[in-house]
Amino acid sequence: MTADAAPVVAESDVVVVGGGSAGVAAAVSAARNGVSVILVERYGCLGGMASGGMVLVLDDMANGREVTVRGLCTEYISRLDKLGLAKYPGPDEWGADPVSVRRWTRWGASDFHFSGTPKPICYSVAFDPDGWKRVSLDLVREAGVRLRLHSWSAGVVMEATRVTGVRCLTKAGFQELRGQVVIDTSGDLDVAAAAGASFVHGRYLVTTVFRLGSVDVEAAERHWDEQPREAAMLNRRAKLILGGAWENWWLRTPLPGVVWCNCPHLSGYDGIDPESQTAAEIAGRDRIYALVDYARSALPGFERCFVVDVAPQLGVRQTRLLQGEYVVTMADIAGRRHFVDSVARGRDYYTPYRALLPREVEGLLVAGRHYSAEPQAQRVSREIPPCMSMGEAAGAAAALAVEQNVAVRDIDVAVLRRRLRAQGHDPGDVPSANASPASED
Ligand SMILES: Cc1cc2nc3c(=O)[nH]c(=O)nc-3n(C[C@H](O)[C@H](O)[C@H](O)COP(=O)(O)OP(=O)(O)OC[C@H]3O[C@@H](n4cnc5c(N)ncnc54)[C@H](O)[C@@H]3O)c2cc1C
């Protein structure tokens, strides 16, 4: 079977391509708004970077004490909480109180945008990757989304400039899935790029994330309390072996004795070039195994540690970025610029609907880390909660377009925002006190 002669195996109102945090949010949001939805994912589980990439802290969802990313993100947190698979500080623990800082820093709840030390504690949630997969699957099934795993979108079906479906590579050969609206949540803009939408090819650090088990976390923390200079010296050595890591290269997880290592970071690799991806996987593993040897021999609390897993998905932060109807700039993010068509939020920044819309292609929306932004701006606005926020907005927008039988670029954004509010999402229609006012462009 060739890609040109693929059978149409399923049709729905909306086809969402990519089952990461943005894709699940888009699919569930669209289905809850009353349209039929197919969700396509290349791997055997949902979550993308939040599960297969083992990115295990939700952050960038609060503007000071105001929680800005709500809706489906809040649903995930409460479901994970009920499973005992989420851990986060309460509002009374946010801030710079030393007891709180001591308790929560190793959970990754520090405000990493704060330049001084110690960094204050903010609203952030540490979670378990398999818990994320489970909650994603529950949400998708409860919403009635038709899930197609093990299906790799490898081409688009077009009618002139309109996308009408995707062509997936599967073990059963090529298969076509058709939809009135397609949402690209592949993270790498696979669908929009294939359809001819403009993009830039960005790059940033990639990381082979891993977890260590059998760590005596209390002993490790006690060593920092009792012998901070020695602990800092040993930590510097560990970071040298890793060759790229944040200051706290290991963080606690909800699983006893298991720590999350968001490292080693590797620069100069390309997340959509197989040769480069292969080289990154190998270079990362070499550093991990060297680190484990060192940790077992030198780090208090790590004497019996072992590798639980290296993330099955390479930690890719940035590849293709849409250059859509509006391209979000660094000045927009840094200046907390509000937009008249804001439909999604991150920490203290806003995402206009136009940043989810390709310029040249019809029937297509994008959401997630490949949204329309300058590379510098995307680096600081692509955490999991804002990606979910964009997904939730895109799903509801697609449903609205189908319901009203209009092009996605012609929907009434005011109606969309009212619907998003009603479903618990904050579209950023009401700017916070520290926002810069919107202008018309
Ligand atoms: C190492 C690292 C550390 C990070 N740290 C944090 C952090 O601490 N906190 C935080 O909030 N964020 C963090 N981030 C950012 C965050 O994880 C991502 O930006 C976010 O998860 C992206 O979500 P997404 O849904 O847009 O993309 P992804 O999670 O990449 O999801 C894309 C999905 O699409 C699927 N897919 C891709 N191509 C195809 C195709 N052609 N056909 C079918 N399916 C396809 C993928 O398998 C995947 O499931 C980090 C990122 C990295 C890499």
Side-chain angles (χ1 to χ4, degrees), residues 17-23 40-43 45-50 53 55-60 112 151-154 185-188 190 205-207 209 246 260 262 265 313-317 367-370 378 382-387:
V17 182
S21 45
V40 184
E41 164 59 42
R42 63 180 162 169
Y43 295 139
C45 61
L46 297 170
M49 283 302 142
V55 170
L56 302 183
V57 176
L58 294 171
D59 45 35
D60 247 15
F112 59 88
S151 300
W152 191 302
S153 171
T185 47
S186 65
D188 299 316
D190 288 8
L205 298 171
V206 301
T207 303
V209 175
W246 313 132
W260 174 47
N262 179 4
H265 305 317
Q313 279 176 249
L314 179 64
V316 175
R317 291 173 173 80
R369 64 180 164 89
H370 56 198
Q378 188 266 8
R382 50 150 185 107
E383 302 292 272
I384 299 167
C387 287

Coordinates of all heavy atoms in Angstrom, one line a residue, residues 17-23 40-43 45-50 53 55-60 112 151-154 185-188 190 205-207 209 246 260 262 265 313-317 367-370 378 382-387, ligand 1:
V17 N -4.3 15.7 15.8 CA -3.1 14.9 15.5 C -2.0 15.1 16.6 O -1.5 16.2 16.6 CB -2.6 15.2 14.1 CG1 -1.3 14.3 13.8 CG2 -3.6 14.9 13.1
G18 N -1.8 14.1 17.4 CA -0.8 14.3 18.5 C -1.5 14.2 19.8 O -2.3 15.2 20.2
G19 N -1.2 13.2 20.6 CA -1.9 13.0 21.9 C -1.1 13.5 23.1 O -1.1 12.8 24.2
G20 N -0.4 14.6 23.0 CA 0.3 15.2 24.1 C -0.7 16.0 25.0 O -1.9 15.9 24.9
S21 N -0.1 16.9 25.8 CA -1.0 17.6 26.7 C -1.9 18.6 25.9 O -3.1 18.7 26.2 CB -0.2 18.4 27.7 OG 0.9 19.1 27.1
A22 N -1.4 19.2 24.9 CA -2.2 20.1 24.0 C -3.3 19.3 23.3 O -4.5 19.6 23.2 CB -1.4 20.9 23.0
G23 N -2.9 18.1 22.8 CA -3.8 17.3 21.9 C -4.9 16.7 22.7 O -6.1 16.7 22.3
V40 N -5.4 11.1 17.1 CA -4.4 10.3 16.5 C -3.1 10.4 17.3 O -2.6 11.6 17.5 CB -4.1 10.7 15.1 CG1 -3.1 9.8 14.4 CG2 -5.4 10.8 14.3
E41 N -2.5 9.3 17.7 CA -1.2 9.4 18.4 C -0.2 8.3 17.8 O -0.6 7.2 17.6 CB -1.4 9.2 19.9 CG -0.2 8.9 20.7 CD 0.9 10.0 20.7 OE1 0.6 11.2 20.7 OE2 2.1 9.5 20.6
R42 N 1.0 8.7 17.6 CA 2.0 7.8 17.0 C 2.4 6.6 18.0 O 2.8 5.6 17.6 CB 3.2 8.5 16.5 CG 4.0 9.2 17.6 CD 5.2 9.9 17.1 NE 5.7 10.9 18.1 CZ 6.8 11.5 18.1 NH1 7.6 11.4 17.0 NH2 7.1 12.4 19.0
Y43 N 2.4 6.9 19.3 CA 2.8 5.9 20.3 C 1.7 5.2 20.9 O 0.5 5.4 20.6 CB 3.7 6.6 21.3 CG 5.0 7.1 20.8 CD1 5.5 8.4 21.2 CD2 5.8 6.4 19.9 CE1 6.7 8.9 20.7 CE2 7.0 6.9 19.3 CZ 7.4 8.2 19.8 OH 8.6 8.6 19.3
C45 N 0.6 5.4 24.1 CA -0.1 6.0 25.2 C -0.2 7.5 25.0 O 0.4 8.0 24.0 CB 0.8 5.7 26.5 SG 2.4 6.4 26.4
L46 N -0.9 8.1 25.9 CA -1.1 9.6 25.7 C -0.2 10.4 26.7 O 0.2 9.9 27.7 CB -2.6 9.9 26.0 CG -3.6 9.3 25.0 CD1 -5.0 9.5 25.6 CD2 -3.4 9.9 23.7
G47 N 0.0 11.6 26.4 CA 0.8 12.5 27.3 C 1.9 13.2 26.6 O 2.3 14.3 27.1
G48 N 2.5 12.6 25.6 CA 3.7 13.3 24.9 C 4.8 13.6 25.9 O 5.2 12.7 26.7
M49 N 5.3 14.8 26.0 CA 6.4 15.2 26.8 C 6.0 14.9 28.3 O 6.9 14.6 29.1 CB 6.8 16.6 26.7 CG 7.6 16.9 25.4 SD 9.1 15.9 25.5 CE 9.2 15.4 23.8
A50 N 4.7 15.1 28.7 CA 4.3 15.0 30.1 C 4.3 13.5 30.5 O 4.2 13.3 31.7 CB 2.9 15.6 30.3
G53 N 8.0 11.8 27.6 CA 9.2 12.7 27.8 C 9.6 12.8 29.3 O 10.6 13.4 29.6
V55 N 8.5 14.7 31.7 CA 8.5 16.1 32.2 C 7.5 16.2 33.3 O 6.3 16.1 33.1 CB 8.2 17.1 31.1 CG1 8.0 18.5 31.7 CG2 9.3 17.1 30.0
L56 N 8.0 16.2 34.6 CA 7.1 15.9 35.7 C 6.7 17.0 36.6 O 6.4 16.7 37.8 CB 7.8 14.7 36.4 CG 8.0 13.4 35.5 CD1 8.6 12.3 36.4 CD2 6.8 13.0 34.8
V57 N 6.8 18.2 36.2 CA 6.3 19.3 37.0 C 5.5 20.2 36.2 O 5.9 20.7 35.1 CB 7.4 20.1 37.7 CG1 6.9 21.3 38.5 CG2 8.2 19.2 38.7
L58 N 4.2 20.5 36.6 CA 3.4 21.5 35.9 C 3.8 22.9 36.4 O 3.6 23.1 37.7 CB 1.9 21.3 36.2 CG 1.3 20.0 35.7 CD1 -0.1 19.8 36.2 CD2 1.2 20.1 34.1
D59 N 4.2 23.8 35.6 CA 4.5 25.1 36.1 C 4.0 26.2 35.1 O 3.3 25.8 34.1 CB 5.9 25.4 36.5 CG 6.9 24.8 35.5 OD1 6.6 24.9 34.3 OD2 8.0 24.4 35.9
D60 N 4.3 27.4 35.4 CA 3.9 28.5 34.5 C 2.3 28.6 34.4 O 1.8 28.9 33.4 CB 4.4 28.3 33.1 CG 5.4 29.3 32.7 OD1 5.9 30.0 33.6 OD2 5.7 29.5 31.5
F112 N 11.1 29.6 39.0 CA 12.4 29.7 38.3 C 12.5 31.0 37.5 O 13.6 31.3 37.0 CB 12.6 28.5 37.4 CG 11.6 28.2 36.3 CD1 11.7 28.8 35.1 CD2 10.5 27.4 36.6 CE1 10.7 28.6 34.1 CE2 9.5 27.2 35.6 CZ 9.6 27.8 34.4
S151 N -0.5 5.3 15.3 CA -0.8 5.8 13.9 C 0.0 7.1 13.8 O -0.2 8.1 14.5 CB -2.3 6.2 13.8 OG -3.1 5.0 14.0
W152 N 0.9 7.0 12.9 CA 1.9 8.1 12.7 C 1.5 9.0 11.5 O 1.5 8.5 10.4 CB 3.3 7.5 12.5 CG 4.4 8.5 12.6 CD1 4.6 9.6 11.8 CD2 5.5 8.5 13.4 NE1 5.7 10.3 12.2 CE2 6.3 9.6 13.2 CE3 5.9 7.6 14.4 CZ2 7.5 9.9 13.9 CZ3 7.1 7.9 15.1 CH2 7.9 9.0 14.8
S153 N 1.0 10.2 11.8 CA 0.6 11.1 10.7 C 1.8 11.4 9.8 O 2.8 12.0 10.3 CB -0.1 12.3 11.3 OG -0.3 13.2 10.2
A154 N 1.7 11.0 8.5 CA 2.9 11.2 7.6 C 2.5 11.9 6.4 O 3.3 12.0 5.4 CB 3.4 9.8 7.3
T185 N -1.5 19.1 16.9 CA -0.9 19.2 18.2 C 0.3 18.2 18.3 O 0.6 17.6 19.3 CB -1.9 18.8 19.3 OG1 -2.6 17.6 18.9 CG2 -3.0 19.9 19.5
S186 N 1.0 18.1 17.1 CA 2.1 17.1 17.1 C 3.4 17.7 17.8 O 4.4 16.9 18.0 CB 2.5 16.8 15.6 OG 2.9 18.0 15.0
G187 N 3.4 18.9 18.2 CA 4.5 19.5 18.8 C 5.6 20.0 17.8 O 6.4 20.9 18.1
D188 N 5.6 19.3 16.7 CA 6.7 19.6 15.7 C 6.0 20.2 14.4 O 6.7 20.2 13.4 CB 7.5 18.4 15.4 CG 8.2 17.8 16.6 OD1 8.8 18.7 17.3 OD2 8.2 16.6 16.8
D190 N 4.0 18.9 12.4 CA 4.0 17.9 11.2 C 2.9 18.2 10.2 O 3.2 18.1 9.0 CB 3.9 16.5 11.8 CG 5.2 16.0 12.5 OD1 6.1 16.9 12.7 OD2 5.3 14.9 12.8
L205 N 17.7 23.5 23.7 CA 18.3 22.3 24.3 C 17.4 21.1 24.2 O 16.2 21.2 24.2 CB 18.4 22.5 25.9 CG 19.3 23.7 26.4 CD1 19.0 23.9 27.8 CD2 20.7 23.3 26.1
V206 N 18.0 19.9 24.0 CA 17.2 18.6 24.1 C 17.8 17.9 25.4 O 18.9 18.2 25.8 CB 17.3 17.7 22.9 CG1 16.8 18.4 21.7 CG2 18.7 17.2 22.7
T207 N 17.0 17.1 26.0 CA 17.3 16.4 27.2 C 16.9 15.0 27.2 O 15.8 14.7 26.8 CB 16.6 17.2 28.4 OG1 17.0 18.6 28.4 CG2 17.1 16.6 29.8
V209 N 15.8 12.8 29.7 CA 15.4 12.8 31.1 C 15.4 11.4 31.6 O 15.2 10.4 30.9 CB 13.9 13.3 31.1 CG1 13.3 13.2 32.5 CG2 13.9 14.8 30.6
W246 N 20.2 21.9 35.5 CA 19.8 23.0 36.4 C 20.5 22.7 37.7 O 20.9 21.6 38.0 CB 18.3 23.1 36.5 CG 17.5 23.1 35.3 CD1 16.4 22.4 35.1 CD2 17.7 23.8 34.0 NE1 15.9 22.6 33.8 CE2 16.7 23.5 33.1 CE3 18.7 24.7 33.6 CZ2 16.6 24.0 31.8 CZ3 18.6 25.3 32.3 CH2 17.6 24.9 31.5
W260 N 13.4 12.4 40.1 CA 13.3 12.8 38.7 C 14.5 13.6 38.3 O 14.9 14.6 39.0 CB 12.0 13.6 38.5 CG 11.9 14.3 37.1 CD1 12.1 13.6 35.9 CD2 11.6 15.6 36.8 NE1 11.8 14.5 34.9 CE2 11.5 15.7 35.4 CE3 11.3 16.7 37.5 CZ2 11.2 16.9 34.7 CZ3 11.0 17.9 36.9 CH2 10.9 18.0 35.5
N262 N 15.9 15.9 35.5 CA 15.6 16.6 34.3 C 16.9 17.1 33.7 O 17.3 18.2 33.7 CB 14.7 17.8 34.6 CG 14.4 18.7 33.4 OD1 14.8 18.4 32.3 ND2 13.7 19.8 33.6
H265 N 21.1 18.1 29.8 CA 20.7 18.9 28.7 C 21.9 18.9 27.6 O 23.0 18.9 28.0 CB 20.6 20.4 29.1 CG 19.6 20.5 30.3 ND1 18.4 19.8 30.3 CD2 19.7 21.3 31.4 CE1 17.8 20.2 31.5 NE2 18.6 21.0 32.1
Q313 N 10.7 9.1 25.2 CA 10.7 10.2 24.2 C 11.8 11.2 24.5 O 11.9 11.7 25.6 CB 9.4 10.9 24.2 CG 8.3 10.2 23.4 CD 7.0 10.9 23.5 OE1 6.1 10.4 24.2 NE2 6.8 12.0 22.9
L314 N 12.7 11.5 23.5 CA 13.7 12.5 23.7 C 13.0 13.8 24.1 O 12.0 14.2 23.5 CB 14.5 12.6 22.4 CG 15.6 13.7 22.4 CD1 16.7 13.3 23.3 CD2 16.2 13.8 20.9
G315 N 13.6 14.5 25.1 CA 13.0 15.8 25.5 C 13.3 16.9 24.6 O 14.4 17.5 24.6
V316 N 12.4 17.1 23.7 CA 12.6 18.1 22.6 C 11.7 19.4 23.0 O 10.5 19.2 23.2 CB 12.1 17.6 21.3 CG1 12.2 18.7 20.2 CG2 13.0 16.4 20.9
R317 N 12.4 20.5 23.1 CA 11.7 21.7 23.5 C 11.1 22.5 22.3 O 10.1 23.1 22.4 CB 12.6 22.6 24.3 CG 12.9 22.0 25.7 CD 13.9 22.8 26.4 NE 14.1 22.4 27.8 CZ 14.9 21.3 28.1 NH1 15.5 20.6 27.2 NH2 15.0 21.0 29.4
A367 N -2.1 23.9 18.2 CA -2.0 24.2 19.6 C -0.8 23.5 20.2 O -0.4 22.4 19.7 CB -3.3 23.8 20.3
G368 N -0.2 24.1 21.2 CA 0.9 23.5 21.9 C 2.2 24.1 21.6 O 2.3 25.3 21.1
R369 N 3.3 23.4 21.8 CA 4.6 24.0 21.8 C 5.1 24.6 20.4 O 6.0 25.3 20.3 CB 5.7 23.1 22.4 CG 5.9 21.8 21.6 CD 7.0 21.0 22.3 NE 7.0 19.6 21.9 CZ 7.7 19.2 20.8 NH1 8.5 20.0 20.1 NH2 7.7 17.9 20.5
H370 N 4.4 24.2 19.4 CA 4.8 24.7 18.0 C 3.9 25.9 17.6 O 3.8 26.2 16.4 CB 4.7 23.6 17.0 CG 3.3 22.9 16.9 ND1 3.1 21.7 16.4 CD2 2.1 23.3 17.4 CE1 1.8 21.3 16.5 NE2 1.2 22.3 17.1
Q378 N 8.9 31.5 22.3 CA 8.4 30.2 22.6 C 9.2 29.6 23.7 O 8.6 28.8 24.5 CB 8.5 29.3 21.3 CG 7.9 27.9 21.4 CD 8.9 26.8 21.8 OE1 10.0 27.1 22.2 NE2 8.4 25.6 21.8
R382 N 6.1 27.8 26.8 CA 5.8 26.5 26.2 C 5.6 25.4 27.2 O 5.8 24.2 26.9 CB 6.8 26.1 25.1 CG 8.1 26.2 25.7 CD 9.2 25.4 25.3 NE 10.3 25.7 26.2 CZ 10.7 24.9 27.2 NH1 10.2 23.8 27.4 NH2 11.7 25.4 28.0
E383 N 5.4 25.8 28.5 CA 5.3 24.8 29.5 C 4.0 24.0 29.3 O 3.1 24.4 28.5 CB 5.4 25.5 30.9 CG 6.6 26.3 31.1 CD 7.9 25.4 31.2 OE1 8.2 25.0 32.3 OE2 8.6 25.2 30.2
I384 N 3.8 23.0 30.1 CA 2.7 22.1 29.9 C 1.3 22.8 30.1 O 0.5 22.8 29.2 CB 2.7 20.8 30.8 CG1 4.0 20.0 30.5 CG2 1.5 20.0 30.7 CD1 4.3 19.0 31.6
P385 N 1.1 23.6 31.2 CA -0.2 24.2 31.4 C -0.5 25.2 30.2 O -1.7 25.1 29.7 CB 0.0 25.0 32.7 CG 0.9 24.1 33.5 CD 1.9 23.7 32.4
P386 N 0.3 26.1 29.7 CA -0.1 26.9 28.6 C -0.4 26.1 27.3 O -1.2 26.5 26.5 CB 1.1 27.9 28.4 CG 2.2 27.4 29.2 CD 1.6 26.6 30.3
C387 N 0.4 25.0 27.1 CA 0.0 24.1 26.0 C -1.4 23.5 26.1 O -2.1 23.5 25.2 CB 1.1 23.0 25.8 SG 2.7 23.6 25.2
Ligands
LIG1 C1 13.3 18.2 29.0 C2 12.1 19.1 29.1 C3 11.8 19.7 30.3 C4 10.7 20.5 30.5 N1 10.3 21.0 31.7 C5 9.1 21.4 31.9 C6 8.6 21.6 33.2 O1 9.3 21.4 34.2 N2 7.3 22.0 33.4 C7 6.5 22.3 32.3 O2 5.3 22.6 32.5 N3 7.0 22.1 31.0 C8 8.2 21.7 30.8 N4 8.7 21.5 29.5 C9 7.9 21.9 28.4 C10 6.7 20.9 28.1 O3 7.0 19.6 28.5 C11 6.3 20.9 26.6 O4 6.4 22.1 26.0 C12 4.8 20.4 26.5 O5 4.6 19.2 27.2 C13 4.5 20.3 25.0 O6 3.2 19.7 24.9 P1 2.6 19.5 23.5 O7 1.3 18.7 23.7 O8 2.6 20.8 22.7 O9 3.7 18.6 22.7 P2 4.2 17.1 23.0 O10 4.1 16.8 24.5 O11 5.5 17.0 22.3 O12 3.0 16.2 22.3 C14 3.0 15.9 21.0 C15 2.3 14.6 20.8 O13 2.2 14.3 19.4 C16 2.6 13.0 19.1 N5 3.1 13.1 17.7 C17 4.1 13.8 17.2 N6 4.2 13.7 15.9 C18 3.2 12.9 15.5 C19 2.7 12.4 14.3 N7 3.3 12.8 13.1 N8 1.7 11.6 14.2 C20 1.0 11.2 15.4 N9 1.4 11.7 16.6 C21 2.5 12.5 16.7 C22 3.7 12.8 20.1 O14 4.0 11.4 20.2 C23 3.1 13.4 21.3 O15 2.3 12.5 22.1 C24 9.9 20.7 29.3 C25 10.2 20.2 28.1 C26 11.3 19.4 28.0 C27 11.6 18.8 26.7

